[in-house]
Amino acid sequence: MLRPKVPTNPTPTGIVTPPVVEPTAVVQHSPAPLPVAPAPAPARPTVQLTPGALVALIGGGTAVVLVVGAVLVSMLLAVAVTAASVAVCALVVRTLLASETKRR
């Protein structure tokens, strides 16, 4: 009941039968008529910057650069403050451990 049944494969005979290939008919269709070319789309209007728009664009770019710079500087300052506080903590712990070993 619990024994697996192993399937038995027939012994190979060495005779190989090629697969049956059915020829297919080649049918040529008449070429479809070429589509009529659509009328060219109207040319896009070019973007023209007025002096006021140019000043606004330069001012906006400057503001973006200043904000991104402030964020990056604040992140660098946060890393520097964290590193300094970890260094101070390491010195305090080292001093406490050194004084503990001298008392013994």
Side-chain angles (χ1 to χ4, degrees):
M1 180 175 150
L2 296 176
R3 292 186 183 193
K5 294 182 180 179
V6 179
T8 58
N9 292 330
T11 58
T13 59
I15 301 173
V16 179
T17 57
V20 177
V21 178
E22 296 180 11
T24 57
V26 176
V27 179
Q28 291 187 358
H29 297 285
S30 60
L34 296 174
V36 178
R44 289 178 152 181
T46 57
V47 177
Q48 295 179 356
L49 292 176
T50 61
L54 188 61
V55 169
L57 185 64
I58 291 173
T62 304
V64 167
V65 167
L66 289 176
V67 168
V68 169
V71 168
L72 291 177
V73 167
S74 65
M75 289 172 63
L76 180 64
L77 182 62
V79 169
V81 168
T82 304
S85 65
V86 168
V88 169
C89 289
L91 286 175
V92 169
V93 169
R94 191 177 86 176
T95 305
L96 288 174
L97 290 176
S99 65
E100 184 70 28
T101 55
K102 286 183 182 180
R103 289 183 188 171
R104 291 184 184 182

